[in-house]
Amino acid sequence: MRNMAVVQFGRPLAPVDLEVPRPGPGEVLVRVLACGVCRSDLKIAGGHMPFSSSQRLPHVPGHEVSGEVAETGPGVELVRGQRVVVHNYWGCGRCPYCVDGQENLCDALRGWVGFTSPGGFEEYLLVPADHLLPVPARVDPVQAATVSCALGTAYHAVVTRGAVRAGETVAVVGAGGVGLYAVQVARAAGARAVAVDVRESALEAARAVGADAAVDPAGAPAAVGGLTRGRGADVVVDCVGNPGGSALAVELVRKGGRLVQVGYVTDPQQYPTLPTDRVVLRELQVVGSRYVTRPELARALELVASGTLKPVVSRVVDLEQANEALEDVRQERAVGRVVVRVAQDL
Amino acid sequence: MRALVLREHGDVLLAQELPTPVPGPGEVLVRVEACGVGLTVLNYMGGRSRVHAEKLPRVPGHEFVGTVVACGRGQEAAMAGQRVMAYFYLSCGACDFCRLAHEPLCRYLRGQVGVATDGGFAEYAVLPAFNALPVPQGVDPVLATAIPDAVATPVHVCRRARVGPQDAVLVVGAAGGVGIHMVQVARVFGARVVGVDRGAEKLAALRSMGLEAVDAAEAGWAAQAREAAGGEVTVAVDLVGSRTTLEACLDVLAPRGRLVVLTTFRDVTFSASPARLVAAEVEILGSRYASRWEVQEAARLVQQGRVQPVVSEVRPLESVGELASKLRQGTLLGRAAVVP
């Protein structure tokens, strides 16, 4: 089957020989229609993830899979042709985290789509049936390719970890794929949202999806201060995670506010520093936020289906041009998501 | 195998020889070491379940502990030889409530162990692997029968009512099966605890645990309990659940206090004055059983010795009837257990 794989870290993706797998008990063969591209894919292709040293190559990346049910294994009651998105963290269901409803923190993931197990840059993908979420027909397959990572991550960060409430002001640092959704989810929760980015194109997109203000980093303190009578943001969602983004987040948050960390760097030389005096004296809460659980993702999908949240897709490329999509992300040319069209008939 | 069978609703169980059950896919066969006896099982036996009427004949008993001796075909094979305790609710494990660890609220609940399926008043019982939770090393199997309901339910209550060191918790029915563990768990969460119950033996037992204990037979017990709590009760947990006790609990609460309701008796209702709820911002919280995580958390508290299960009577399997009458008279301290 057609695919694009990491053959060597730091080199362009290339097709490799792959057979279409057969679904076993409880499994579904998903025909991949489209797959979103994320900054994490650059870290995976570059060999910069914590697990990269033990990763077996070739590896098929892609973790924002929109597809349809092609074939079902024994014991699966899904209809062929059902449109789906793939939930990426295949929790073990038995560890203390899974049992406590935090499958995103599972101790022993059975699969991690596109990260450590095969992803969506291929025509067919095997998925446990219970990690597929149905997609209403009115959500276009390309738009659905922005859901399982960008939207899910934003929803968990804003709703669950950030616990954003109506009347609050949320600053989103980094208005990329996750950030543009974070702005919209914050607005849907009744909060005001300020988008911060260095790129004018991203700020335009943020305004288009309803940001109350969209500003560059230099203008951010004044914009947040203006909306909050100088108090600062109740919540800052940092989708960047580098020293510049982190310093800005600390500057923007009010006393007693929450810093929700979504973006991250893997190079220790690039770790931001934490000003402990501000954390203590201003009682800041620093909250990490990792991916999303299935019930949250299902709720987030409803918000897309109802039109409350609008996917932002700046470009669609064919599977064979997947390297161009990665380059768009690397060069910061992408606004919202770049999506790889995997199915030729899409 | 030997088993006790309920043929018609009531406290009468018939000792019978039944074929040893065979575990299907996703199930395990447990050799029962002990099974708890409490008011909940009597309620089900009496046909007073609010949710799922019991189908008869049935082997009751949901608080059982034992060893996995056979497994159906599937992942559950890894559990062979493990000592396990039964998780009470037959939850689907796949709906949103289950996945967020609120299994008692499962949208597709199939009922309860010992109610919708045969339970632990027998030498052997079959459980879905989902319902067979590991008993930690070093925990006595008879004492462990208290964990999955009598200790776990209080863990859920404390989490649900956000109990912490800032709280003074009033427990009504404090020396009963759940109560005697409720008072311990509330202390683990850092609260000051006052227990209310009746009978000299039960009050003495509470006092021997270092608790303030108030006699429910006295007219002003609620006011006395408030005094004993240092003037303010912030959380009231009513395990008796009569109109009188529920209303007394609601009346005694401090501003921002929380009343936790756990009982499901048919035809019991109580009055709550909206004016009082508004004026003092009092909360009324329903609390239903516990999640599987909370059951395992309860087991850890027992393993660490921070909660001591109180199983005051341990009898042969056939003695469920005698224990039932003691339970109904309200003279049983903590839990009872039968051993096949």
Side-chain angles (χ1 to χ4, degrees):
Chain A
M1 62 179 162
R2 294 162 55 239
N3 65 84
M4 289 293 271
V6 182
V7 179
Q8 198 185 333
F9 289 131
R11 306 287 302 160
L13 307 185
V16 296
D17 247 359
L18 285 179
E19 295 294 317
V20 176
R22 300 295 308 271
E27 288 182 332
V28 172
L29 184 67
V30 172
R31 186 168 88 98
V32 180
L33 298 174
C35 186
V37 181
C38 168
R39 188 157 284 274
S40 298
D41 292 318
L42 296 179
K43 297 174 194 159
I44 292 162
H48 302 310
M49 291 304 272
F51 54 77
S52 292
S53 58
S54 60
Q55 183 151 48
R56 289 224 310 254
L57 299 182
H59 165 71
V60 177
H63 57 270
E64 203 148 38
V65 180
S66 157
E68 63 184 24
V69 173
E71 199 182 327
T72 55
V76 177
E77 292 178 11
L78 281 171
V79 181
R80 185 185 290 231
Q82 165 72 54
R83 293 265 318 285
V84 291
V85 291
V86 177
H87 178 263
N88 292 331
Y89 282 37
W90 301 348
C92 69
R94 290 165 175 268
C95 74
Y97 293 102
C98 283
V99 173
D100 196 25
Q102 295 175 284
E103 59 187 352
N104 58 322
L105 302 180
C106 173
D107 280 336
L109 287 174
R110 290 174 296 146
W112 186 8
V113 177
F115 284 77
T116 57
S117 52
F121 288 5
E122 61 183 7
E123 289 181 290
Y124 292 94
L125 184 66
L126 275 187
V127 180
D130 55 3
H131 284 272
L132 293 175
L133 281 81
V135 177
R138 62 183 170 279
V139 180
D140 163 280
V142 167
Q143 298 204 326
T146 66
V147 164
S148 72
C149 172
L151 170 58
T153 302
Y155 185 93
H156 183 67
V158 171
V159 175
T160 307
R161 301 293 289 158
V164 169
R165 294 284 175 266
E168 290 190 318
T169 300
V170 179
V172 177
V173 177
V178 176
L180 288 174
Y181 270 127
V183 164
Q184 297 183 71
V185 176
R187 299 258 314 155
R192 288 174 298 185
V194 179
V196 185
D197 206 296
V198 291
R199 298 168 301 155
E200 184 51 37
S201 55
L203 297 178
E204 270 171 37
R207 286 182 202 109
V209 296
D212 294 272
V215 290
D216 67 6
V224 170
L227 283 171
T228 60
R229 297 187 186 181
R231 255 167 45 114
D234 300 285
V235 177
V236 180
V237 180
D238 178 6
C239 301
V240 178
N242 66 15
S246 186
L248 181 63
V250 169
E251 189 181 344
L252 295 180
V253 73
R254 71 164 167 86
K255 283 188 284 187
R258 290 96 80 194
L259 294 170
V260 182
Q261 194 66 52
V262 176
Y264 61 94
V265 295
T266 53
D267 175 4
Q269 305 293 325
Q270 289 291 313
Y271 285 161
T273 53
L274 195 63
T276 48
D277 55 347
R278 287 183 74 99
V279 173
V280 172
L281 300 176
R282 296 172 64 81
E283 283 203 342
L284 304 184
Q285 299 182 52
V286 182
V287 181
S289 183
R290 183 176 185 180
Y291 195 47
V292 67
T293 63
R294 284 170 287 175
E296 294 168 290
L297 185 56
R299 177 71 189 123
L301 247 171
E302 284 174 21
L303 294 175
V304 172
S306 70
T308 306
L309 306 180
K310 305 227 178 326
V312 179
V313 175
S314 64
R315 188 181 173 197
V316 181
V317 303
D318 286 330
L319 178 59
E320 284 67 25
Q321 275 78 57
N323 286 308
E324 286 183 29
L326 289 179
E327 210 45 37
D328 267 11
V329 174
R330 193 191 321 275
Q331 302 292 336
E332 315 248 327
R333 287 193 298 255
V335 176
R337 276 289 193 245
V338 176
V339 171
V340 171
R341 175 168 41 219
V342 178
Q344 285 170 316
D345 57 353
L346 185 65
Chain B
M1 65 169 186
R2 280 188 307 126
L4 299 185
V5 178
L6 184 72
R7 300 209 147 269
E8 56 189 79
H9 293 303
D11 288 357
V12 180
L13 294 167
L14 288 179
Q16 260 188 293
E17 274 297 319
L18 292 181
T20 302
V22 178
E27 293 180 334
V28 295
L29 178 68
V30 178
R31 189 178 65 238
V32 177
E33 292 174 275
C35 186
V37 184
L39 275 173
T40 302
V41 74
L42 296 188
N43 286 336
Y44 282 111
M45 284 164 53
R48 288 187 289 275
S49 161
R50 279 196 79 84
V51 188
H52 297 272
E54 182 153 7
K55 289 196 192 78
L56 303 180
R58 175 68 72 216
V59 178
H62 62 276
E63 297 172 292
F64 65 87
V65 169
T67 307
V68 174
V69 290
C71 305
R73 254 172 289 161
Q75 284 187 327
E76 64 278 4
M79 299 172 73
Q82 235 174 52
R83 176 172 283 156
V84 295
M85 52 190 170
Y87 180 74
F88 187 22
Y89 277 40
L90 295 163
S91 311
C92 75
C95 71
D96 50 352
F97 281 115
C98 283
R99 283 184 180 152
L100 291 170
H102 308 307
E103 299 97 324
L105 305 181
C106 174
R107 292 187 194 274
Y108 308 102
L109 192 66
R110 283 173 294 134
Q112 284 88 5
V113 173
V115 182
T117 60
D118 283 341
F121 290 161
E123 287 181 285
Y124 293 91
V126 159
L127 274 181
F130 180 89
N131 289 69
L133 302 177
V135 176
Q137 287 287 325
V139 176
D140 173 80
V142 172
L143 294 182
T145 58
I147 293 170
D149 186 354
V151 185
T153 299
V155 170
H156 183 64
V157 167
C158 287
R159 283 161 53 93
R160 179 116 175 83
R162 310 177 300 278
V163 170
Q166 72 282 4
D167 285 312
V169 176
L170 167 64
V171 180
V172 180
V178 175
I180 201 88
H181 304 104
M182 184 70 239
V183 294
Q184 296 184 60
V185 173
R187 274 180 161 182
V188 169
F189 276 70
R192 178 172 181 167
V193 181
V194 178
V196 173
D197 215 314
R198 58 175 76 220
E201 194 192 341
K202 284 182 156 184
L203 292 170
L206 291 172
R207 291 190 181 115
S208 75
M209 295 167 71
L211 285 162
E212 300 279 357
V214 173
D215 190 347
E218 294 188 24
W221 61 265
Q224 277 187 49
R226 182 172 50 208
E227 285 312 300
E232 291 215 316
V233 169
T234 58
V235 177
V237 182
D238 185 359
L239 299 162
V240 172
S242 69
R243 170 182 275 267
T244 320
T245 55
L246 286 162
E247 289 176 0
C249 283
L250 196 52
D251 280 346
V252 83
L253 281 176
R256 291 270 163 91
R258 288 139 272 160
L259 167 63
V260 186
V261 179
L262 298 97
T263 45
T264 58
F265 302 115
R266 274 188 191 167
D267 308 323
V268 172
T269 58
F270 68 106
S271 313
S273 148
R276 167 148 172 76
L277 297 186
V278 172
E281 290 201 342
V282 165
E283 294 173 54
I284 301 175
L285 301 171
S287 181
R288 188 172 186 188
Y289 189 40
S291 71
R292 293 187 307 148
W293 186 87
E294 286 163 340
V295 172
Q296 288 176 269
E297 187 61 16
R300 283 187 281 274
L301 293 177
V302 170
Q303 185 190 30
Q304 292 160 5
R306 299 172 75 194
V307 171
Q308 264 139 19
V310 178
V311 181
S312 64
E313 302 260 5
V314 183
R315 303 279 197 84
L317 182 58
E318 288 72 15
S319 315
V320 171
E322 290 161 49
L323 294 168
S325 59
K326 221 174 158 178
L327 270 166
R328 294 215 184 280
Q329 288 156 22
T331 54
L332 188 91
L333 175 68
R335 268 288 194 259
V338 289
V339 177

